[in-house]
Amino acid sequence: EAGVVQSPRYKIIEKKQPVAFWCNPISGHNTLYWYLQNLGQGPELLIRYENEEAVDDSQLPKDRFSAERLKGVDSTLKIQPAELGDSAVYLCASSLAPVYEQYFGPGTRLTVT
Amino acid sequence: AQSVTQLDSQVPVFEEAPVELRCNYSSSVSVYLFWYVQYPNQGLQLLLKYLSGSTLVESINGFEAEFNKSQTSFHLRKPSVHIIDTAEYFCAVSEPLTGGGNKLTFGTGTQLKVEL
C-alpha cells in the first residue's frame, strides 16, 4: 500500500513569490491534514479536511495561505506571497477518520530567500 | 487547551544502554496518546499509541510506553538501544473536539543520539 505522497520534496523561492505544495493521501482515507513544522519544533496543524470540506482551518493564516481538496482526494496548499518566516517543512497526513491514527508524508522543505 | 511537554531536547546514549524519553501532557478531558519517530529527511512514523485498556503499550522494535494518568505522563523507554534508533521522537496527545473529530498536539521533540 502506497503511503502519503507529497511533492515537491524541496523548494527554494524568493520572498514575495507564490508556491504550492501537493499531497496525495492514502487511498480511502477521508481525513487529510496539513501541518507546519518549524526547525526544532513539533508539527502544528494548519488545516483539516473531511472529504472535500475544510472542517478546521483556525490555524491557517488566511491572508496568504489557501488550501483546497477537490473531489476529496488530492490536496494543494498555496502560499502567496511567501515571506522569509514561511521557511519550514510542510507535512501532509491522512487518516481513515478523525479518530484514527494519522499517517504522514515525507514533507516539503520550503526555503524562502 | 491541551499541551505536551518534552523536557529533554536531546538525549545522548551509548549503544545497548537503556533510555527513557519523557513526555508530560495536560488536558481537561480523556485523551489518546502517541509517540511518533522521525528519521532524517523522512516523515513522522507512528511508533506506538495508547487509546484505552492496558496502560503499557509496546512497539514492534522494542520500545514501550506507559500511560500514567495521575502523573499525566507517557514516557517512552527501551531497555537496549541501537544505532538505528537515532532519530527525533515526538510525543502527541489527541483530544476530541466539540462537533466531532480529534485534534493532535505535538511536543517539541527529543533528539535521541545513540553512540558507539
Side-chain angles (χ1 to χ4, degrees), chain B residues 5-84:
Chain B
T5 301
Q6 292 182 249
L7 290 174
D8 304 307
S9 59
Q10 294 186 33
V11 173
V13 62
F14 288 110
E15 191 173 33
E16 298 185 1
V19 69
E20 177 180 83
L21 307 184
R22 295 180 293 170
C23 172
N24 289 88
Y25 70 94
S26 67
S27 176
S28 58
V29 299
S30 297
V31 297
Y32 302 144
L33 293 159
F34 304 84
W35 276 99
Y36 282 84
V37 58
Q38 187 173 33
Y39 299 102
N41 298 316
Q42 295 187 28
L44 281 76
Q45 301 174 30
L46 181 66
L47 188 61
L48 45 75
K49 61 186 176 185
Y50 169 78
L51 303 180
S52 64
S54 173
T55 57
L56 184 65
V57 291
E58 300 176 350
S59 72
I60 59 174
N61 57 353
F63 283 93
E64 64 178 30
E66 185 163 19
F67 170 56
N68 188 317
K69 188 175 182 179
S70 62
Q71 297 186 7
T72 60
S73 67
F74 191 55
H75 301 331
L76 181 69
R77 303 183 182 94
K78 188 171 185 178
S80 177
V81 294
H82 303 288
I83 295 293
I84 59 171

Side-chain angles (χ1 to χ4, degrees), chain A residues 9-10 33 35 37 40-45 48 56 59 91 98-107 109, chain B residues 32 34 36 38 41-46 49 51 88 90 94 97 100-109:
Chain A
R9 291 292 312 278
Y10 305 91
Y33 312 77
Y35 287 88
Q37 185 177 18
Q41 301 293 318
E44 299 175 16
L45 181 68
R48 173 169 68 96
D56 184 358
Q59 302 303 311
L91 295 167
V99 298
Y100 289 94
E101 61 198 56
Q102 298 178 25
Y103 294 83
F104 285 80
R109 183 177 297 276
Chain B
Y32 302 144
F34 304 84
Y36 282 84
Q38 187 173 33
N41 298 316
Q42 295 187 28
L44 281 76
Q45 301 174 30
L46 181 66
K49 61 186 176 185
L51 303 180
E88 187 95 20
F90 291 93
S94 177
L97 297 170
N102 283 264
K103 178 178 180 180
L104 199 61
T105 300
F106 287 86
T108 53

Side-chain angles (χ1 to χ4, degrees), chain A residues 10 28 36 52 57 71 94-95 101:
Chain A
Y10 305 91
L36 167 68
E52 65 273 12
D57 63 354
K71 301 181 181 179
S94 70
S95 64
E101 61 198 56

